[in-house]
Amino acid sequence: MTDQDSGSAVSDLNSTAIARRSFLAASLGAIGAATSVIARDFGPSAQPVRYPDPDIVTLDPRFKKYAIGNTPIQRIYHSPEMLWAEGPAWNGVGRYLLWSDIPNNVQKRWLEEDGHVTTFRHPAGNSNGNTFDYQGRQVSFEHGNRRVVRYEHDGSVTVLADKYDGKSLNAPNDGVVHPNGDVWFTDPGYGSLMNYEGEKAANDSKQPYQKEAVYRIDGKTGKIEKVTDDVFKPNGICFSPDYKKVYVADTGASHYSDAPKQIKVWDVVDEKGVANGKEFASMKLKVKGAAAGVPVVNKVPGQARNFANVSQEEELSGLADGIRCDTDGNIWASAGWVGDGYDGVHIFEPQEGVRIGQIRLPEICSNVCFGGTKRNRLFMTASTSIYAVYVEARGAHIT
């Protein structure tokens, strides 16, 4: 190789490197585009992440106030034996995170003081969602036993709900508590559609025991009332900061071809009912595949997609699952079933349901909750792992 050839080669390499750096900077910093990078390694031998964490993504300027530049997404727990982590709930007194591993029929606990993880309860009724009430008692929503239970201070168990209108519930999924003592919960029926997460019903129906619905347990009388069944399969649920609105994730697309992939919102009426239901946010996300050879979102789980010659945007949609609200009214929704660049947490502003940010994870995210001493740490249950990240937002409610 001559000196001239060598100089040309170096020049070409420098040009390529500059172009690549320019593209990466644009991809990671662009507002409104969700071009993904290959899922990163969170294992013990993984390389450190250069701040700001590239998987905390600002899609709209309104997210900048919540994204911290010098903090990483951390995988605080992983086990190949854990099959489907769900239902994270923060106990402020005990300073621990509680969650369910539904197929293994256990509840696990992570201690903030040293990161120690123990089995908290086994068996656990194939519990899915968990929360704490305003008296500090744990409330769990059990797939296997098709009921809502409360664990009392003396260790006994109180069954809050297992039937409605004389018929068994399908399989309570997730729930929230109201300051007046009421418990609102969703009943999509997943735990009765398979033995993997509960007890499969014998009728092979999409509605194993009755129509999917959202219910309210009266904190004073214990009476169970149907709040609404105007949703295909109600899943995650949360209140607005002032308890005047209630949000529900609809995952009905898992079983109904005409079900929209969305989060719905209703006005809460007299702390007991709902009105004016409508779509709050769509889970559709426009993905731009402008760069040759850059892998982006998988449209089908497990199927690789390479937008080598695509310059237009493609609209893809996964499902929201567990949801939580911060003190500013933003909705933090777990998201999954699409692939790298989509799966993780999507954040929506409260006025028009505009997606303003993402926290991208290398696994499907099932649920979220705010915790830590200042309620400014977002915990994420994601398949076989638990992730956490500090944000400049605080959870609106106790868990």
Side-chain angles (χ1 to χ4, degrees):
M1 179 181 291
T2 66
D3 290 342
Q4 182 177 355
D5 291 337
S6 177
S8 298
V10 170
S11 177
D12 290 343
L13 285 172
N14 287 340
S15 298
T16 301
I18 292 171
R20 177 172 174 78
R21 285 197 299 271
S22 298
F23 166 72
L24 288 174
S27 296
L28 296 176
I31 293 175
T35 305
S36 81
V37 294
I38 297 172
R40 81 190 203 209
D41 179 15
F42 279 88
S45 60
Q47 292 296 309
V49 175
R50 187 185 301 277
Y51 292 154
D53 192 310
D55 289 310
I56 303 173
V57 183
T58 295
L59 301 175
D60 182 284
R62 285 169 287 187
F63 186 65
K64 289 182 179 180
K65 64 180 291 188
Y66 306 110
I68 299 174
N70 61 339
T71 196
I73 302 168
Q74 298 173 300
R75 185 166 72 174
I76 62 173
Y77 178 73
H78 167 75
S79 171
E81 283 75 41
M82 188 164 68
L83 298 174
W84 183 241
E86 251 282 11
W90 178 258
N91 186 291
V93 174
R95 292 174 55 207
Y96 63 82
L97 179 75
L98 169 78
W99 75 90
S100 301
D101 179 358
I102 306 175
N104 282 316
N105 197 20
V106 299
Q107 294 172 2
K108 308 289 282 188
R109 176 177 59 180
W110 174 88
L111 299 178
E112 183 182 44
E113 60 189 68
D114 62 1
H116 188 59
V117 174
T118 62
T119 295
F120 187 69
R121 184 171 285 111
H122 178 263
N126 295 110
S127 65
N128 186 331
N130 301 283
T131 190
F132 292 93
D133 66 15
Y134 283 82
Q135 289 71 47
R137 298 169 297 187
Q138 180 188 338
V139 179
S140 293
F141 306 88
E142 298 181 346
H143 276 183
N145 296 323
R146 305 195 299 277
R147 66 185 189 178
V148 180
V149 299
R150 184 177 65 213
Y151 294 94
E152 308 295 346
H153 295 303
D154 64 3
S156 62
V157 179
T158 299
V159 178
L160 299 180
D162 60 359
K163 293 180 176 63
Y164 176 73
D165 198 21
K167 296 183 292 184
S168 170
L169 295 170
N170 291 315
N173 193 88
D174 207 354
V176 287
V177 296
H178 192 282
N180 66 11
D182 295 351
V183 178
W184 293 48
F185 71 94
T186 60
D187 187 30
Y190 289 114
S192 295
L193 297 175
M194 61 178 77
N195 288 314
Y196 183 62
E197 291 190 3
E199 298 291 336
K200 189 177 186 299
N203 56 19
D204 290 323
S205 172
K206 297 175 184 177
Q207 302 170 1
Y209 298 99
Q210 53 187 305
K211 175 74 174 71
E212 304 95 333
V214 179
Y215 296 94
R216 181 184 65 87
I217 305 170
D218 191 287
K220 296 181 176 64
T221 67
K223 183 179 179 181
I224 303 167
E225 294 184 354
K226 182 184 289 188
V227 175
T228 181
D229 61 7
D230 184 22
V231 60
F232 285 86
K233 281 194 177 293
N235 203 313
I237 181 172
C238 72
F239 288 113
S240 60
D242 58 7
Y243 294 91
K244 292 183 178 180
K245 295 183 183 297
V246 64
Y247 301 85
V248 176
D250 188 351
T251 53
S254 64
H255 287 79
Y256 300 101
S257 59
D258 57 338
K261 298 175 181 179
Q262 64 178 359
I263 300 172
K264 293 194 70 173
V265 63
W266 291 261
D267 295 327
V268 176
V269 179
D270 297 329
E271 299 184 348
K272 296 182 178 181
V274 297
N276 306 319
K278 63 180 180 180
E279 179 177 272
F280 166 70
S282 169
M283 293 310 294
K284 294 177 181 178
L285 177 64
K286 289 185 178 180
V287 178
K288 182 177 291 185
V294 176
V296 297
V297 177
N298 298 331
K299 190 169 185 179
V300 179
Q303 176 180 319
R305 290 177 63 81
N306 192 308
F307 286 62
N309 299 302
V310 177
S311 59
Q312 74 275 14
E313 289 184 331
E314 179 167 347
E315 194 168 63
L316 305 176
S317 183
L319 296 173
D321 198 331
I323 55 178
R324 288 292 185 270
C325 188
D326 66 25
T327 55
D328 288 339
N330 301 298
I331 299 299
W332 301 64
S334 63
W337 305 105
V338 173
D340 296 337
Y342 184 98
D343 296 354
V345 178
H346 295 194
I347 301 91
F348 301 90
E349 58 81 35
Q351 303 305 320
E352 298 178 341
V354 174
R355 183 187 281 101
I356 60 174
Q358 282 182 274
I359 299 169
R360 300 185 299 205
L361 299 177
E363 301 178 71
I364 293 170
C365 186
S366 66
N367 214 328
V368 298
C369 80
F370 287 95
T373 304
K374 299 178 182 178
R375 298 200 319 279
N376 65 336
R377 195 175 191 186
L378 187 73
F379 292 96
M380 301 160 278
T381 49
S383 305
T384 62
S385 303
I386 308 297
Y387 296 86
V389 64
Y390 283 99
V391 293
E392 199 56 32
R394 300 181 70 183
H397 306 121
I398 56 175
T399 186

